[in-house]
Amino acid sequence: METTFNVPGRNEVSAANQAIFDTLIKAIGFVPNLYANFAYSGDALSAFLTIQGAKTSLTIKKKRSLTRS
């Protein structure tokens, strides 16, 4: 059985999340589906990105590999 997730586009999220989408597109060229799905919530995407950018013992290479999986 196949599960389908509807990933919101820029026009389907709040103005605050649209601004984050714009920043992501400028920085990496696209909005990852995981991030877009967090944007269904008014605060989840911003909170996730804050946590993701927090100080950690993981190397940048390891963090990137975790984001891509």
Side-chain angles (χ1 to χ4, degrees):
M1 186 163 107
E2 187 175 311
T3 303
T4 303
F5 292 94
N6 294 320
V7 179
R10 185 183 182 283
N11 295 331
E12 300 174 90
V13 301
S14 69
N17 285 333
Q18 287 178 3
I20 294 172
F21 276 30
D22 294 343
T23 300
L24 288 167
I25 291 168
K26 285 180 186 176
I28 62 174
F30 68 103
V31 177
N33 288 344
L34 175 65
Y35 295 4
N37 278 297
F38 280 136
Y40 277 123
S41 165
D43 300 317
L45 179 57
S46 175
F48 177 78
L49 292 173
T50 298
I51 291 169
Q52 187 179 33
K55 187 174 181 176
T56 179
S57 61
L58 296 175
T59 64
I60 291 173
K61 184 176 178 180
K62 182 63 176 176
K63 285 174 66 175
R64 286 184 182 154
S65 71
L66 292 172
T67 302
R68 292 182 184 152
S69 21

